[in-house]
Amino acid sequence: MIAANIMSTEVITLKPDDTIARAVELLVRHRIRAIPVVDDEKKVVGIIVPRRMLRAALPSYISSGDLKDVKFAPELPGFVRRIENVISRKVSEFMDGCFVKVTPETS
């Protein structure tokens, strides 16, 4: 089997200057787990996934893994401030530039 047999041709994409709020909107609306980030020539320059956005919003003691068992909510006002800060930032700050590229002929 080759990638062309299972790949989507109508792909949801983002630009590096789009906001994280836009990324979250697309992830939720389309029920997808990752979005390719493309430049003006439609070349993939990165990928955005929810994990990186969440790490930026969560308190460091949770996102670092130092606290193994979280049975309480983080301090709410600080958490809300971090979320507000994250959603206004650019996709380029959170995208991962290290990803696997395949062509339609890849098996």
Side-chain angles (χ1 to χ4, degrees), residues 15-64:
K15 298 277 190 167
D17 287 337
D18 285 333
T19 64
I20 292 300
R22 175 80 174 133
V24 170
E25 172 192 343
L26 291 173
L27 288 164
V28 171
R29 182 185 326 145
H30 296 284
R31 296 180 177 192
I32 52 181
R33 293 178 287 185
I35 302 176
V37 181
V38 298
D39 62 16
D40 291 334
E41 288 79 40
K42 302 287 185 197
K43 179 183 175 198
V44 178
V45 295
I47 190 166
I48 190 84
V49 294
R51 179 180 296 168
R52 301 230 11 215
M53 297 177 276
L54 274 173
R55 280 193 176 149
L58 290 172
S60 62
Y61 61 87
I62 294 175
S63 63
S64 68

Side-chain angles (χ1 to χ4, degrees), residues 60-103:
S60 62
Y61 61 87
I62 294 175
S63 63
S64 68
D66 291 340
L67 187 62
K68 300 296 182 202
D69 188 15
V70 181
K71 292 185 178 182
F72 60 91
E75 189 258 318
L76 193 55
F79 182 61
V80 170
R81 278 193 304 276
R82 285 188 293 277
I83 288 175
E84 289 171 346
N85 175 272
V86 168
I87 63 172
S88 64
R89 291 167 64 186
K90 302 290 183 197
V91 165
S92 60
E93 296 178 55
F94 294 89
M95 71 182 193
D96 189 347
C98 184
F99 53 92
V100 177
K101 296 179 187 179
V102 298
T103 67

